[in-house]
Amino acid sequence: NAGVTQTPKFQVLKTGQSMTLQCAQDMNHEYMSWYRQDPGMGLRLIHYSVGAGITDQGEVPNGYNVSRSTTEDFPLRLLSAAPSQTSVYFCASSLLAGPTDTQYFGPGTRLTVL
Amino acid sequence: TQLLEQSPQFLSIQEGENLTVYCNSSSVFSSLQWYRQEPGEGPVLLVTVVTGGEVKKLKRLTFQFGDARKDSSLHITAAQPGDTGLYLCAGDGDNFNKFYFGSGTKLNVKP
């Protein structure tokens, strides 16, 4: 099993550009989520999905879109990048949502918006 | 607004020393999780505590969930350089689908 994979590992964008961060898992997990990590802020939930076709907003959803057409993939789209979106982005998955399920994190995508 | 406050923010100690990291909130959580994150990698789950007053041990690491389920602590005995990393706590609040992370404690254990 590859676990949770994320691409690209690094990305530099100019303000106003759009892009998609890819996330895939091969563990047949129902729950997937996206976080951003900024210095001194811990991880903040952007969007999450409890299964294919179902998505919902997290703590900081503005400026980001998601979709979940398959169980395996959960891409995160930046519609018009802004410098405030410079961050490290982590995708995570767990078998089910809930307090006792283990969340597995990908290695992250380091995004810089100029 | 941070639902979970972690302290201290930074900790630098010598190998062999003991330490305690705290995770506090004014909110009640049905569970709290502790993660360790190394530079350039994603967080890795260490433990989940679900019962008020629960104590869990993982080798030299001891985790405790407060009786009121609003706080937790992580105690490391005889720290080793391999314990170096960012320690994060996370709780699910009032929605099992949403997790809130603390800002983390950055631990450096010097040989």
Side-chain angles (χ1 to χ4, degrees), chain A residues 3-110:
Chain A
V4 180
T5 57
Q6 292 184 237
T7 56
K9 197 162 179 65
F10 300 95
Q11 183 70 50
V12 179
L13 291 178
K14 294 182 179 177
T15 297
Q17 287 185 317
S18 63
M19 79 158 296
T20 300
L21 308 185
Q22 301 291 345
C23 174
Q25 51 88 13
D26 61 358
M27 298 174 282
N28 204 31
H29 285 174
E30 291 295 328
Y31 182 87
M32 295 186 74
S33 55
W34 276 102
Y35 293 88
R36 59 177 289 173
Q37 186 173 32
D38 303 294
M41 295 291 290
L43 281 85
R44 291 181 291 170
L45 182 65
I46 304 171
H47 285 286
Y48 66 93
S49 168
V50 297
I54 306 169
T55 63
D56 207 345
Q57 296 181 350
E59 201 180 347
V60 288
N62 292 342
Y64 307 95
N65 273 1
V66 292
S67 59
R68 184 99 179 267
S69 56
T70 67
T71 298
E72 295 77 21
D73 300 296
F74 191 42
L76 178 72
R77 279 181 286 277
L78 280 70
L79 307 174
S80 177
S84 60
Q85 294 179 304
T86 293
S87 188
V88 182
Y89 290 84
F90 288 99
C91 178
S93 75
S94 59
L95 185 60
L96 297 170
T100 57
D101 255 18
T102 300
Q103 281 200 94
Y104 296 89
F105 283 81
T109 294
R110 283 140 190 85

